[in-house]
Amino acid sequence: MANRGGRHARNEDSENTINYVQCDGLAVMKMIKHCHEESSNMDLAQGALLGLVVDKCLEITNCFPFPKSGDETMDEEMYQLTVMRRLRRVNVDHLHVGWYQSSDVGNSLSLALLESQYHYQTSIEESVVVVYDTQKSSRGFLCLKAYRLTPQAIQMYKDGDFTPEAFRTLKVGYESLFAEIPIVIKNSPLTNIMMSELNELLPEDKGHNFLDLGTASVLENHMRSLIERVDELYQEAVRYNKYQQVVFKQDTEKHRALAKLAAENAVRTSKGEPTVSEEEVIKQFRPLPVPARLTATITSGQINTHAQHIAQFCSQSLAKLFITESLQNAKETKEIK
Amino acid sequence: MSISNYRLQTKVRLQPLVLFQIISAYERRPKTAKMVVGTLLGRRDRCNDTIDITNCYAVHHKEQQIGDMEQFKLDTGYVGEMFDLNQVTYPQEKIIGWYTTGRTLSRSAAALHAFYSRECGDMQPLHLLVDTSLRGGRLTTRLYCAVTMGVPGGTRGLLFTHLPLLKVSTEGDEEVALRLMQNQALHPTKQLGRMLPELVHVLEATRELEQKLDLVMRYINDVLSRKRRPDNNIGRALHEALTSVPMLDADSFRTMFNANVRNMLMSITLASMIKTQMELSEKLSYLPDN
């Protein structure tokens, strides 16, 4: 019965899945502008995505930034509603389909992100969170990723139960918390015409800074974040080990008490007195709370993304190094001649 | 309202985002409207005498023909409200003008100018005209500034003079997005612009570089075999490009190269090792406690 119910639930979910996200150039440019203005203030930039759902594709046609949380003069909900109402007047899609956030060296996977995305996805079924990496883009690679919570993650969050058993039964690991959805940037033909006009106005020599050979600082930053995450994971592991030790100790004590009770009971029956039940002894040993595995899972997810970033970064800098090697060889042969 | 607000040395820079927004507003205009009107936002730098147009938003308007007169209604309250909302997130952007789409300046330009000069305060408003009818096969974007002319004390009018619109300014990272979108625009038959891993970008760049080198080689060969007349400027530019590559002696280059390659390979090994370890620990945690 449970299996059939599970399969049915999965069928329902697959109808609501999004296969890819299609972003308008306008939304991308606005996101980039906002994230960059905020990155100079070392703040997280956040904003809402507007668009619509077409078949298996989520189209994002516009976006607007959220005001910084330090400003108390305007209520956030009121701000959102007013902006959406105003945009509706000029025929902009007003369906709220997700939110975006800027991130720094891939530190995006956090508890706050999980919670917000959970709230979004329960209210709006198809919402996504788009993460824009400012550091990577300043090095010349546009990094825009869309994530959604997997159904198992939603289930687990709904139960509010983060014990290892829950993780095991729902088969949630750090890889299955978020599902990444490919983003496609699409522009209308008129925009393409505008882009060709822009092409003439843009200076030709810019836009190639991803061929930059300077790798040390970037690698150092990545490594530093990676080390911090590994430290956090280690703390979690230590905590879990301590818990296990305490449980073990408690177990041994319980066994000892039960054995003592059994001996006592034997003595008493020989004397003809009523036996003491075992329940009272067991009640003395209350079960200990199991530490939550959520932070550990999130940290492992972050470590995973860091490792992936590093691998990608190193592979492309290796390619660049070999290009310079060939250039150097050419120069050397010229010298020899 | 003097013309000395805009001297000829004033540089006006336009950010691509503004054009994106204008085109998007034009595509979403109501069926009855033939053009779109909106407000331009930006910054004015008095010391460098530059004006940056950084943002814009569309404003609802209505055109009506009543008898002989043409009436033009702009939703002025909306202008104020959107500006206030924008101030919350971008406090340094002020209203510096307005834009319309169309072939030429519309008749209502004078009225709009009057309204926006009230909004702009002490500055003259700029007017950006985007020709979306693609006259002449191009999407011309022109910048205008209004100057009062006429007989002092008599009839006065406004003359809209054309200002030079300097090259579009971008901050470094918008260029990345722009280049990606440009590639996708130029090759529409290829797959839609997906975010590809970094290595693919480097590969494509090397291919482009190869093509450019081929072009240069062909030119040089042609000049050498006297098929083309040599141009001194090109020769000088080539010489500059070739000598700008730093000359390292073989040994120091070898050491630097080997060190970097070793660093990269080690990082890749460590990264994959970390990933394997994470996977293993996940599998282990699935085992029952006992």
Side-chain angles (χ1 to χ4, degrees):
Chain A
M1 276 304 152
N3 273 345
R4 218 177 296 150
R7 219 176 298 137
H8 178 66
R10 231 174 294 141
N11 277 343
E12 269 181 9
D13 282 330
S14 63
E15 285 170 10
N16 287 335
T17 46
I18 306 288
N19 279 352
Y20 64 100
V21 172
Q22 187 175 292
C23 223
D24 246 13
L26 173 65
V28 172
M29 297 292 283
K30 277 178 101 164
M31 271 194 270
I32 293 181
K33 175 188 157 109
H34 184 224
C35 295
H36 271 286
E37 303 244 335
E38 293 300 321
S39 72
S40 46
N41 304 346
M42 299 302 288
D43 254 342
L44 267 186
Q46 287 182 342
L49 298 168
L50 306 165
L52 59 148
V53 179
V54 177
D55 278 343
K56 296 281 185 178
C57 159
L58 179 70
E59 283 189 34
I60 299 178
T61 48
N62 214 330
C63 66
F64 64 87
F66 285 157
K68 286 189 275 264
S69 49
D71 213 2
E72 293 300 334
T73 49
M74 206 159 198
D75 187 16
E76 279 206 19
E77 280 224 24
M78 272 301 295
Y79 177 80
Q80 280 191 47
L81 284 175
T82 1
V83 172
M84 299 219 298
R85 218 177 297 143
R86 299 279 167 276
L87 288 176
R88 198 191 203 154
R89 295 283 297 280
V90 282
N91 292 343
V92 176
D93 292 324
H94 53 272
L95 196 60
H96 197 168
V97 291
W99 60 298
Y100 68 87
Q101 183 175 315
S102 73
S103 95
D104 198 19
V105 203
N107 276 349
S108 51
L109 218 66
S110 66
L111 193 60
L113 191 87
L114 203 65
E115 278 194 34
S116 319
Q117 180 59 10
Y118 171 70
H119 287 302
Y120 263 93
Q121 228 164 306
T122 40
S123 45
I124 306 162
E125 188 61 48
E126 302 87 8
S127 63
V128 298
V129 53
V130 172
V131 174
Y132 173 75
D133 196 338
T134 41
Q135 283 267 351
K136 245 192 180 182
S137 305
S138 55
R139 272 187 286 123
F141 300 102
L142 185 62
C143 184
L144 214 61
K145 299 224 164 89
Y147 293 108
R148 289 187 84 224
L149 283 180
T150 50
Q152 301 107 311
I154 295 184
Q155 185 63 40
M156 195 181 71
Y157 220 92
K158 231 183 270 189
D159 298 336
D161 185 22
F162 298 125
T163 58
E165 285 88 43
F167 271 85
R168 218 175 292 139
T169 42
L170 292 168
K171 290 234 182 275
V172 175
Y174 63 85
E175 276 172 356
S176 53
L177 269 183
F178 276 106
E180 190 184 325
I181 307 199
I183 293 190
V184 167
I185 298 186
K186 191 164 186 304
N187 277 324
S188 66
L190 195 56
T191 325
N192 285 340
I193 296 176
M194 191 258 301
M195 295 232 51
S196 357
E197 287 280 337
L198 260 187
N199 202 10
E200 305 192 356
L201 294 172
L202 272 184
E204 179 60 46
D205 48 352
K206 291 229 189 128
H208 287 295
N209 50 350
F210 62 91
L211 289 174
D212 185 20
L213 282 176
T215 52
S217 58
V218 173
L219 211 52
E220 271 175 36
N221 276 341
H222 274 297
M223 288 297 185
R224 203 176 300 139
S225 323
L226 193 61
I227 291 176
E228 282 173 20
R229 297 286 153 268
V230 171
D231 274 340
E232 281 181 26
L233 194 62
Y234 178 65
Q235 299 285 343
E236 292 285 327
V238 161
R239 209 184 302 164
Y240 195 68
N241 278 341
K242 268 199 221 148
Y243 158 77
Q244 279 195 322
Q245 282 177 356
V246 172
V247 164
F248 184 65
K249 244 191 289 182
Q250 204 192 42
D251 255 350
T252 44
E253 281 188 24
K254 207 196 306 189
H255 279 284
R256 220 181 300 148
L258 281 176
K260 216 170 50 174
L261 186 66
E264 238 187 73
N265 282 342
V267 167
R268 285 203 188 179
T269 39
S270 62
K271 285 198 191 160
E273 284 173 21
T275 55
V276 183
S277 67
E278 294 186 345
E279 284 173 11
E280 287 191 17
V281 178
I282 293 180
K283 250 187 271 173
Q284 285 178 9
F285 295 96
R286 265 176 259 115
L288 294 161
V290 188
R293 296 271 302 160
L294 186 64
T295 32
T297 324
I298 293 181
T299 323
S300 333
Q302 276 182 338
I303 293 182
N304 196 30
T305 27
H306 274 302
Q308 222 168 349
H309 281 179
I310 290 181
Q312 274 188 347
F313 176 74
C314 292
S315 55
Q316 55 97 356
S317 36
L318 266 180
K320 289 190 286 202
L321 277 175
F322 278 105
I323 294 176
T324 40
E325 190 200 9
S326 61
L327 192 62
Q328 175 73 8
N329 285 343
K331 276 215 153 211
E332 279 175 17
T333 46
K334 195 181 77 148
E335 292 263 308
I336 292 174
K337 266 195 241 162
Chain B
M1 288 247 277
S2 59
I3 53 173
S4 59
N5 267 324
Y6 294 115
R7 295 167 289 174
L8 276 176
Q9 294 98 328
T10 309
K11 295 198 250 298
V12 183
R13 294 198 299 221
L14 181 69
Q15 285 201 357
L17 177 63
V18 176
L19 289 173
F20 274 93
Q21 296 225 25
I22 294 179
I23 295 209
S24 162
Y26 178 72
E27 288 175 351
R28 283 167 187 279
R29 69 192 186 286
K31 276 188 244 189
T32 50
K34 274 179 271 174
M35 65 177 212
V36 199
V37 178
T39 313
L40 288 174
L41 302 164
R43 280 188 293 259
R44 189 155 180 257
D45 196 358
R46 275 172 212 265
C47 22
N48 295 346
D49 215 5
T50 52
I51 300 178
D52 280 311
I53 307 179
T54 50
N55 209 347
C56 69
Y57 57 85
V59 178
H60 197 56
H61 73 104
K62 256 192 285 207
E63 280 177 50
Q64 273 177 332
Q65 192 99 20
I66 300 182
D68 258 349
M69 292 250 295
E70 274 185 15
Q71 258 206 9
F72 190 88
K73 278 194 233 169
L74 191 71
D75 195 347
T76 46
Y78 185 87
V79 172
E81 282 163 359
M82 276 303 276
F83 179 61
D84 289 331
L85 287 172
N86 199 26
Q87 282 285 85
V88 180
T89 31
Y90 297 113
Q92 68 271 49
E93 289 182 356
K94 308 271 177 262
I95 297 185
I96 50 174
W98 45 291
Y99 70 82
T100 54
T101 59
R103 281 201 188 171
T104 49
L105 294 167
S106 65
R107 289 169 194 270
S108 38
L112 280 169
H113 174 82
F115 169 67
Y116 273 102
S117 42
R118 277 199 303 274
E119 297 278 333
C120 285
D122 58 345
M123 275 178 40
Q124 286 261 27
L126 290 169
H127 174 41
L128 189 69
L129 180 72
V130 179
D131 182 12
T132 43
S133 59
L134 303 175
R135 182 167 56 163
R138 298 196 59 151
L139 191 90
T140 40
T141 317
R142 268 193 249 126
L143 190 67
Y144 292 98
C145 161
V147 170
T148 45
M149 63 156 190
V151 179
T155 38
R156 297 195 127 213
L158 283 179
L159 176 70
F160 281 93
T161 49
H162 187 190
L163 277 185
L165 185 64
L166 256 208
K167 63 176 191 290
V168 176
S169 81
T170 56
E171 293 164 21
D173 323 282
E174 297 179 348
E175 284 159 5
V176 180
L178 284 174
R179 267 188 209 269
L180 183 68
M181 292 191 271
Q182 256 161 20
N183 282 339
Q184 193 251 310
L186 290 172
H187 309 280
T189 49
K190 263 203 210 168
Q191 53 188 229
L192 305 172
R194 271 194 318 191
M195 305 283 165
L196 298 164
E198 308 175 358
L199 193 56
V200 184
H201 277 293
V202 178
L203 283 176
E204 278 187 21
T206 32
R207 223 169 285 145
E208 252 177 70
L209 210 60
E210 246 186 306
Q211 282 178 350
K212 288 191 185 155
L213 280 174
D214 270 339
L215 203 66
V216 172
M217 288 288 290
R218 228 178 300 151
Y219 172 77
I220 294 178
N221 284 335
D222 279 345
V223 168
L224 283 178
S225 55
R226 298 190 189 280
K227 275 194 222 154
R228 267 213 215 180
R229 199 166 301 156
D231 188 356
N232 281 341
N233 291 333
I234 298 184
R236 246 176 256 137
L238 277 175
H239 183 255
E240 219 183 287
L242 283 174
T243 46
S244 64
V245 178
M247 214 21 232
L248 290 171
D249 57 308
D251 280 335
S252 50
F253 180 78
R254 277 287 133 201
T255 35
M256 178 207 77
F257 181 74
N258 287 335
N260 273 338
V261 169
R262 244 177 282 151
N263 281 346
M264 297 299 144
L265 289 174
M266 189 175 72
S267 318
I268 294 183
T269 328
L270 282 177
S272 25
M273 207 167 68
I274 289 177
K275 281 175 82 168
T276 343
Q277 172 142 10
M278 298 262 86
E279 300 241 347
L280 270 177
S281 67
E282 277 296 315
K283 295 282 184 282
L284 282 176
S285 71
Y286 281 155
L287 292 175
D289 264 331
N290 307 336

